[in-house]
Amino acid sequence: MSSSQTSAGEESGLGSERELQRRLSLATPADTVRGFALNTVLQAVREELGDEAVERCLEPCSEKSFRSFYFYPVSDYLRVLYTGAWMLSSASGGFDNAVRHMRKGLAPGFLSSVVGKAFLLSGIGPRQIINNLPMAFRATASFGESEVRWTGPRSGILLTKRDFLLYLNHEGGLQSLFRSLGLSGAWTRGRQTGPLDNEVEFSWE
């Protein structure tokens, strides 16, 4: 039986219109993400709220559909993410949980892919998979840097710099990975350390 916990307490305050506009103001045309990041969010919205909600998420975007391996402006990703999280907030217990929830399909999608299946068939463990997160980050986004620092055999910290994603995104992604791998006693706890910098502690039993 797997379990997963996240940072507890009050809302982070990252779910405001002001915070969205702050992040958008820092984005440049060179800051892009692959389409599958957007499609993961849209799929979560579709499953919970239907196609009409997906259309609302797409209203402020420059594109109305996304090819998984093409790059798109991170500004579109942020607009989709925030709109979807605002709509899911009531059912999810707040903006923060909504963002985490929208990442639930990320790890299963990766692990069911050709690359993910190769990882599993090779017998690679969770530590090795997590060590590859910086490479996955670089393959997904044109911006930012990421690093994993291990604090124990089954605990560590994921650090990201100039990262337009919220630490809540990374909490949700790690939770999804831990659930997919069936790890017990897993938890994550993130925080923002700079204007676009994050760190997320994680551990499992």
Side-chain angles (χ1 to χ4, degrees), residues 33-188:
V33 296
R34 289 197 190 271
F36 69 77
L38 288 129
N39 289 332
T40 297
V41 172
L42 292 171
Q43 182 59 31
V45 172
R46 180 176 286 109
E47 289 175 358
E48 297 292 333
L49 301 175
D51 291 337
E52 186 174 333
V54 170
E55 291 176 7
R56 285 181 58 188
C57 288
L58 292 172
E59 282 176 4
C61 295
S62 59
E63 304 279 347
K64 301 305 177 186
S65 65
F66 307 99
R67 297 184 179 183
S68 290
F69 290 99
Y70 282 48
F71 279 99
Y72 298 92
V74 72
S75 56
D76 277 356
Y77 177 83
L78 288 169
R79 291 184 179 103
V80 166
L81 178 75
Y82 270 76
T83 303
W86 288 334
M87 289 191 290
L88 288 169
S89 288
S90 296
S92 301
F95 176 88
D96 291 9
N97 279 336
V99 173
R100 297 183 187 110
H101 174 74
M102 287 190 292
R103 299 283 280 186
K104 68 177 183 178
L106 190 65
F110 168 73
L111 293 174
S112 64
S113 69
V114 173
V115 176
K117 288 178 179 177
F119 269 127
L120 295 177
L121 289 172
S122 70
I124 192 171
R127 188 180 176 102
Q128 289 81 8
I129 291 175
I130 291 170
N131 275 335
N132 283 311
L133 289 179
M135 182 175 64
F137 184 90
R138 173 52 57 198
T140 303
S142 66
F143 52 81
E145 303 173 12
S146 66
E147 175 188 0
V148 175
R149 294 180 185 170
W150 291 98
T151 57
R154 298 181 179 181
S155 63
I157 304 172
L158 173 66
L159 301 104
T160 62
K161 301 289 186 182
R162 198 177 179 275
D163 178 11
F164 287 91
L165 307 187
L166 311 179
Y167 73 78
L168 304 164
N169 287 78
H170 300 303
E171 284 186 340
L174 283 167
Q175 291 170 46
S176 178
L177 176 62
F178 293 153
R179 284 193 297 268
S180 296
L181 295 175
L183 302 181
S184 62
W187 61 268
T188 61

